[in-house]
Amino acid sequence: MTEPWLRPDWELPDTVQSIVTTRDGGVSEAPYGALNVATHVADQPAHVAENRRRLETLAELPASPLWLQQVHGTRVLLADANSAREQQADAVYTRDRHCVLTIMTADCLPILLCSADGEEIAAVHAGWQGLAGNIINKAVARFSATKISAWLGPAIGPCHYEVDERVRSRFDSDFGFGPGKDRGHWMLDLFAVARRQLADAGVESIAGGGCCTYCDSRFYSYRRDGQTGRFATLIWRR
Ligand SMILES: [Zn+2]
């Protein structure tokens, strides 16, 4: 059977694994079909539970994913195997081998981080609010290691992500903002902004990015579909 998820291609030690789920491989019905992993989008709880169970089993995860309650904030949770589930945070860091870090998205940008020695990992939920609040810098600051690699997952691209002055005004510069369809609107490139912020934080190896969730129907997209599910981006130590 082909795996219903993707394996990110980036500079990752053998002792660390990462995957990104797609819409395939689950039991949820329209408009959530099929592998929705989110409990907060009004999908049937039994379907979400079964989807999460399948993910844990088929991906041979060493533990249940540490699901967060993502709130578009900038809190970085320092997690271990005993951390409570569903904590409010938009980034999570661990050194623990039994801790599966997970970010749920449907247009926002998921980012994975890993130290060169594979002993420290993190996952970040970076929508425009997280980026404007420097969540990347806060997550990178948790690392003891100085050599860190990053991977940018699927997110709504500059081809489809139009924002207004309310968003633009929250950023220090117009870097990553292209012209929109009229005055007062811009096309925001989350990937470009994230790459620059990662570089500013000292991360030299940056891969991924450029896969637009709105364009690519393998993924959930809130802007494309409105009521829909969420896919997961996961990283763990083996
Ligand atoms: Zn697009």
Side-chain angles (χ1 to χ4, degrees):
M1 190 184 111
T2 358
E3 293 178 330
W5 40 72
L6 312 174
R7 303 223 172 230
D9 183 14
W10 59 312
E11 211 171 280
L12 200 62
D14 293 343
T15 53
V16 179
Q17 293 224 334
S18 61
I19 59 171
V20 184
T21 66
T22 64
R23 300 184 67 132
D24 295 332
V27 297
S28 291
E29 293 162 8
Y32 306 104
L35 194 77
N36 167 46
V37 295
T39 55
H40 66 283
V41 294
D43 191 1
Q44 291 190 39
H47 288 171
V48 180
E50 171 61 15
N51 290 342
R52 288 180 170 191
R53 191 196 64 75
R54 287 186 179 196
L55 171 62
E56 191 175 328
T57 308
L58 290 174
E60 298 179 328
L61 302 179
S64 299
L66 183 63
W67 303 104
L68 302 175
Q69 191 188 333
Q70 299 166 195
V71 291
H72 296 283
T74 58
R75 178 183 177 222
V76 183
L77 173 66
L78 301 185
D80 60 35
N82 301 316
S83 293
R85 266 53 190 168
E86 305 287 343
Q87 292 196 57
Q88 282 195 0
D90 285 273
V92 55
Y93 162 97
T94 195
R95 303 180 71 105
D96 199 306
R97 280 198 183 79
H98 303 281
C99 207
V100 179
L101 309 186
T102 308
I103 294 295
M104 286 180 282
T105 57
D107 285 344
C108 284
L109 173 61
I111 303 173
L112 298 178
L113 299 169
C114 183
S115 62
D117 61 9
E119 290 186 7
E120 300 175 82
I121 56 174
V124 181
H125 169 227
W128 73 263
Q129 292 171 94
L131 292 175
N134 283 317
I135 192 168
I136 287 178
N137 197 281
K138 289 177 176 134
V140 170
R142 296 296 185 182
F143 283 73
S144 310
T146 50
K147 278 201 74 173
I148 300 168
S149 55
W151 184 76
L152 310 183
I156 191 163
C159 39
H160 279 104
Y161 194 27
E162 190 173 65
V163 299
D164 58 17
E165 176 60 27
R166 187 177 63 99
V167 174
R168 166 64 194 90
S169 64
R170 289 275 304 278
F171 288 80
D172 298 337
S173 84
D174 59 6
F175 180 82
F177 289 84
K181 66 176 183 292
D182 50 37
R183 256 178 85 90
H185 287 88
W186 291 266
M187 304 308 288
L188 173 55
D189 189 340
L190 295 170
F191 304 118
V193 175
R195 277 193 203 99
R196 173 174 271 200
Q197 292 188 357
L198 283 162
D200 288 349
V203 176
E204 287 170 13
S205 168
I206 304 167
C211 176
C212 174
T213 44
Y214 193 110
C215 291
D216 190 332
S217 59
R218 288 178 300 173
F219 302 103
Y220 295 104
S221 168
Y222 178 76
R223 284 252 176 156
R224 184 187 62 220
D225 300 327
Q227 193 176 13
T228 192
R230 300 289 182 273
F231 63 91
T233 302
L234 305 96
I235 186 168
W236 67 94
R237 297 181 63 189
R238 287 202 285 195

